[in-house]
């Protein structure tokens, strides 16, 4: 089953949780590659022990959140470390004196 857009729930991935480390990375890579409108070509998925590590760049913070949510849905809550960097235009803010 591959994602269509952002309509998923963690229960969609119950068949993957606690199955073993061997295909965790491939499962996360496959699922994030099907996110509509999110360029994941600069995202690297790696394993550190039993944790998935997401590294690379995405266009916006909302894209980073989408990738992280999918990875957590596949791996389970608390098993994803994200080092994603948003390359979009920073939001405007005002410095207070």
């Amino acid at each position: 089953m591959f994602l269509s857009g952002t309509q998923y729930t963690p229960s969609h991935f119950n068949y993957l949780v606690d199955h073993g480390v061997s295909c965790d990375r491939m499962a996360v890579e496959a699922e994030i590659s099907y996110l509509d409108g999110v360029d994941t070509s600069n995202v690297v998925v790696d394993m550190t022990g039993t944790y998935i590590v997401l590294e690379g760049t995405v266009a916006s913070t909302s894209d980073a959140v989408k990738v992280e949510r999918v990875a957590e849905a596949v791996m389970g809550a608390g098993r994803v470390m994200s080092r994603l960097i948003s390359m979009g235009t920073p939001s405007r803010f005002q410095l207070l004196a």
Side-chain angles (χ1 to χ4, degrees):
M1 168 175 61
F2 294 104
L3 297 174
S4 58
T6 57
Q7 300 190 7
Y8 65 90
T9 62
S11 64
H12 285 126
F13 302 101
N14 283 342
Y15 67 96
L16 288 171
V17 177
D18 295 327
H19 61 83
V21 174
S22 62
C23 67
D24 289 340
R25 184 180 57 78
M26 292 184 299
V28 171
E29 285 175 341
E31 293 298 337
I32 66 171
S33 71
Y34 282 88
L35 282 170
D36 286 336
V38 179
D39 179 10
T40 58
S41 62
N42 292 323
V43 175
V44 175
V45 179
D46 204 359
M47 293 290 301
T48 299
T50 59
Y51 291 89
I52 282 290
V53 180
L54 303 170
E55 294 182 297
T57 59
V58 290
S60 67
T61 53
S62 65
D63 286 354
V65 169
K66 289 175 188 176
V67 171
E68 292 162 4
R69 285 184 181 169
V70 169
E72 282 191 351
V74 172
M75 293 299 298
R79 291 187 58 203
V80 176
M81 292 187 280
S82 178
R83 297 177 181 158
L84 294 175
I85 297 171
S86 169
M87 299 303 289
T89 306
S91 60
R92 295 179 185 208
F93 61 93
Q94 181 179 11
L95 294 175
L96 300 176

